[in-house]
Amino acid sequence: MSAPANDVQDYVGFDTITQQMERKFLKRGFNLNVILVGESGMGKSTLVIRKTTEIAPVTQMLEENGVRVKLTIVDTPGFGDQCNNEGCWVPVIKYIKDQHAAYLERELKPNRERIIVDTRVHACLYFLNPGSRGLRPLDVEVLKRLTEVTNVIPVIAKSDSMTIEERTAFKRHIKEELAFHRIMLFPYASDDDADDDRVLNASIRELIPFAVVGSEEVIEVEGKLIRGRRHGWGVINIFDETHSDFVHLRNFMLRTHLSDLIEVTSQRHYEQFRTSQLRQIKELRAQQAAAAASGGAPPAQPQVPLSVMQHQPMTQV
Amino acid sequence: MRSGNQSQAAGSGGVKKKMNGYVGFSNYPNQEHRRSIKRGFNFTLMVVGESGLGKSTLINTLFESKVYPTKEEIATSSAAAAAAAAASGGPQAAKTVEITSVSAEINENNVKLRLSVVDTPGFGDSINNDSAWKPILENIESRFDAYLAQENRVNRSKIVDNRVNALLYFIKPTGHGLRAVDIEFMRNLHNKVNLIPVIARADTLTPQEVEQFKARVLADINFHGIQIFRPVSDQFDDPDTIADNKAIASKIPFAVIGSEKFVERADGTRVRGRQYPWGIIEVENEQHNDFVSLRQMLLRTHMEELRDATDVALYETYRTQKLLALGHVQDNGVFREFNPRQQLEEEEKVHAAKMQKLEAEMAAVFRQKVQEKEGKLKQSEEELHSRHQQMKTVLEKQRAELEEKKGRVGSVEHAPVSHQMGVQAEAVVPGSKDNKKKRGFF
């Protein structure tokens, strides 16, 4: 029995709730966690202008118009750099799952914080090799596993070695291969998208993978200071839309789809993780009960269920 | 003229003499030159590097002809290839490194070049690249083996030289230095082939980045003791050539780009290059990249040196190792110079030594035999002596007995005959008994 939607005759005032929520966010601020995955030398560090030597997050607080963001960037140095790269994705997947597990543990505690600190990875920028004919075997393996646990955004760094036609051909090629391997990328299509959302998502999908150029230098061009790269034959302005997709990527991640990234992480990836973990606990408990019932010495009941969970499923990546 | 040409063989090297007139042997290089042109040249170039680094484009640009079909033409079949890969079993099966070879005969000013380019698709593209270099090493060694087999044939009039003269190794422009797979490869192949490292897709690096990257790559190469091919000048080159060689050597490893397309510059001229929204990079502009230096070294100045180094240094080392491993023993006697007198003297010496040895042996044998004989003689002497003594005693005994009998017979002489006879008979009989006994003593 659905209540008919009535337009309110007199002004009640609850339409300001959106502004109220906004103010809540302003007060609270929020976290954005991004992980960068790619071989060394691809330009990951330049893109975010931070350097690390192990999977350790680097955090900075940004503020814009009163909105505070705690931005955490996690780099993955040494990824894919060896001769034999089998299993090089395991530390990355483990890190992502560990963050989910930490959040779950905090959530399950009887005495938990009102606002749980969110260290879950909201986005993963996967760096592709410019110029290679499509996805490499390593890319396929890693992408398949990454898309199961987080939102993956493929990026072509150092794309200043491809001309515009090569870029278009490369993007088309990558999209074909991604579809072929059934790799799901963010943004995901869903049925209750509003129309303009769908249009926006379609345009984003056109651009994927984002061809970006990074630069730590500020150079002078015709009297203006820009962030870019100076070659002997020309100057690249990374904020120029014709030169690179950097602006589009930044808008996509920070302006339009920021809350989407956080929400999808929380509702889709995290819930998936949580469901599988709780199911495993249930099975484990059932096993223990069966062992106890059959007369064997029952193993000691773990204090915190999570310690059991953490030892078991982390190995399956 | 003779006075001008006389030289004394004083040890090694001889004495350099100035020429008084023109003989004409300085025309020899020209004769070689004409003969080489008739024969034509072989050159085998191997290219190694991950896919997407622009190997085929660079080859096509270097030789200004479509040695390789461009990848766009192959791309249309990529979907089919991907489908085939899936059909062959799930996630990407381990890609192996293939060796493919393309040959072309290129003519320039009547010089015929039989160029072979060997590509190695699949190198470094798999997840596990530990053994990516092995098929390539095997290919290079099998070419050496083939040449060795031909060299050892009875009929050697037609030898086909497929040995790899130079290997272009494409380095990814990460800016950081050599990667593990690069170092593995170079360490295993640097003493089997002339290694020329090349920084691919150099248009992604700014000039400072190029310098830094080159320094890092060279540092890595030196650290691991990798021998790469460097153009060296020798005493016969003129100063210009020496300067050129130095300039080229300072740019190693070359940072190059390739392009088969032509683009139009601002002033309207058409050049080979790549067009970006922010500018045009020209292939043959030395300010933009080192393509010109690479081409100069590879084709115009050091092609013969590369072939020579392959034949003289790399192949010979391989051959020595292989033959020694097969169990051939090195007989250095064949290397000495042939000098008849010396040889006679040596033979004499050897002969004399032999004779001496024989003599000594015979003397020893003789002495030994003499000793033996002496011993034997002594022994028989003693034996004879002892027998002599024995016989003497026996004889004495016999004589004593006979004397006794004589005494007895003498006393019985006057008895009757028959009695005598009996006595004689008795005398005989005991005597015969005694005789028998005496005989028994013997």
Side-chain angles (χ1 to χ4, degrees), chain A residues 39 41 83-86 129 131 137 141 158 160-163 166 173 180 229-231 233-236 242, chain B residues 52 78 82 86 125 127-130 172-174 176 181 201 203-206 209 274-276 278 280-281:
Chain A
E39 286 174 21
C83 262
N84 182 356
N85 289 316
E86 275 169 12
N129 229 338
E141 282 301 309
K158 289 200 174 180
D160 51 347
S161 65
M162 292 199 288
T163 62
E166 289 167 356
H173 205 94
F180 174 77
R229 289 168 65 69
R230 171 167 271 131
H231 286 277
W233 56 91
V235 179
I236 306 176
T242 55
Chain B
S78 71
D125 286 338
I127 296 183
N128 183 350
N129 294 313
D130 277 338
K172 208 153 82 150
T174 61
H176 289 200
V181 66
R201 302 181 75 94
D203 47 358
T204 199
L205 300 167
T206 61
E209 287 169 355
R274 290 168 64 74
Q275 176 138 40
Y276 291 106
W278 49 87
I280 292 179
I281 180 173

Side-chain angles (χ1 to χ4, degrees), chain B residues 4-5 16-20:
Chain B
N5 295 350
K16 278 205 196 128
K17 284 282 197 175
K18 265 189 83 173
M19 303 290 300
N20 285 346

